[in-house]
Amino acid sequence: TANTTTITFVFGEAKATASISVAPNPFAKIVTGIELIAAKTDYLAFDTLPPTAFTVKALYSNGTSELIDPSLCTFYPELGEPLSSEHKSVKVSYTVGNTEYTAETAINVQPVLYHEFIGAETAYLYEGLTPDAPRGLSVTVYFDEARTLSKTLTTFDIPYPESTIRANELGKTTIGIIVDTQTVELELDVLPISGYKITGLNEVYYYGDAITLDQFRAYAIYSDGATVN
């Protein structure tokens, strides 16, 4: 739609005016929105969203469109983030100047019906780490009543609350491991710190020398022989 505006010219005491029409440029290429197209919409819990599963298009005022590099967009859930059955859609945002454009598409994430922990009796955590994934523990999740559709994950593949590992008087601790929409509590052994070591320091320092944190590394040594920076 064209708008009429008045231009005033001033030169000394002289003044003149002119009316002009201002209208959108029919040849301009201005972003008016974005479109999110999903090549895949059905997932299992703990699947991740691959970048190749989605196409993002910029829509322009002249009726054309073009693909947008996914790395320039923000996705929720994030690409590579494990899905849960609570995720019902994928949202994407793309910013041009100070304007943010968003789009959304529905997805279906099949929930976990049953789960089975493997190695819970012998799995352990390292004292003092924040967070720490249990060593020697895995979980098999099932998606159907017949338990024919499943996947096995280590605890490095599934989320769990971030907290500093501290042992109780029995040398154990209770942590919550998130299995799809459930938080399952397990009591696991905690390996204590048996000693420390520092590397990177010079054998001799002179008066006036400075010791900075980036010069050395401190390690905790655990009873299984592992060292953690």
Side-chain angles (χ1 to χ4, degrees):
T1 302
N3 298 309
T4 301
T5 189
T6 300
I7 304 296
T8 301
F9 300 90
V10 178
F11 184 75
E13 298 296 326
K15 182 183 294 186
T17 61
S19 295
I20 62 172
S21 293
V22 181
N25 183 348
F27 304 103
K29 192 177 179 181
I30 301 171
V31 177
T32 59
I34 62 174
E35 180 181 9
L36 178 62
I37 303 169
K40 178 182 178 181
T41 57
D42 292 323
Y43 296 90
L44 300 175
F46 295 111
D47 283 349
T48 57
L49 296 175
T52 54
F54 298 96
T55 299
V56 185
K57 287 185 178 181
L59 308 177
Y60 295 104
S61 55
N62 61 1
T64 63
S65 65
E66 66 180 0
L67 297 178
I68 302 173
D69 185 344
S71 66
L72 302 177
C73 302
T74 301
F75 286 84
Y76 178 79
E78 295 181 5
L79 300 180
E81 175 185 344
L83 295 171
S84 80
S85 56
E86 293 181 335
H87 292 123
K88 306 299 183 184
S89 65
V90 175
K91 301 176 183 178
V92 65
S93 65
Y94 176 65
T95 300
V96 179
N98 295 322
T99 304
E100 182 184 52
Y101 300 93
T102 61
E104 185 174 1
T105 188
I107 60 171
N108 176 57
V109 181
Q110 192 166 336
V112 172
L113 296 185
Y114 308 102
H115 66 270
E116 178 184 358
F117 285 104
I118 303 168
E121 297 80 7
T122 56
Y124 59 90
L125 299 144
Y126 288 127
E127 182 182 12
L129 296 191
T130 308
D132 187 32
R135 271 62 173 181
L137 182 70
S138 61
V139 57
T140 299
V141 293
Y142 301 92
F143 300 95
D144 59 345
E145 293 289 347
R147 303 196 181 198
T148 58
L149 182 59
S150 67
K151 62 170 61 178
T152 298
L153 308 157
T154 71
T155 47
F156 291 96
D157 300 319
I158 62 178
Y160 48 91
E162 295 191 3
S163 58
T164 302
I165 304 303
R166 300 296 183 206
N168 59 22
E169 63 276 6
L170 300 177
K172 295 179 178 293
T173 192
T174 300
I175 66 166
I177 294 183
I178 302 171
V179 181
D180 194 9
T181 59
Q182 304 176 60
T183 299
V184 183
E185 290 192 342
L186 292 178
E187 186 178 59
L188 301 176
D189 290 330
V190 177
L191 256 62
I193 297 174
S194 60
Y196 298 92
K197 71 175 182 179
I198 294 176
T199 63
L201 292 175
N202 296 336
E203 292 186 3
V204 177
Y205 286 87
Y206 298 100
Y207 293 128
D209 287 349
I211 299 177
T212 60
L213 289 177
D214 59 355
Q215 288 180 317
F216 66 92
R217 294 288 182 268
Y219 296 87
I221 304 173
Y222 291 90
S223 55
D224 65 347
T227 58
V228 179
N229 183 214

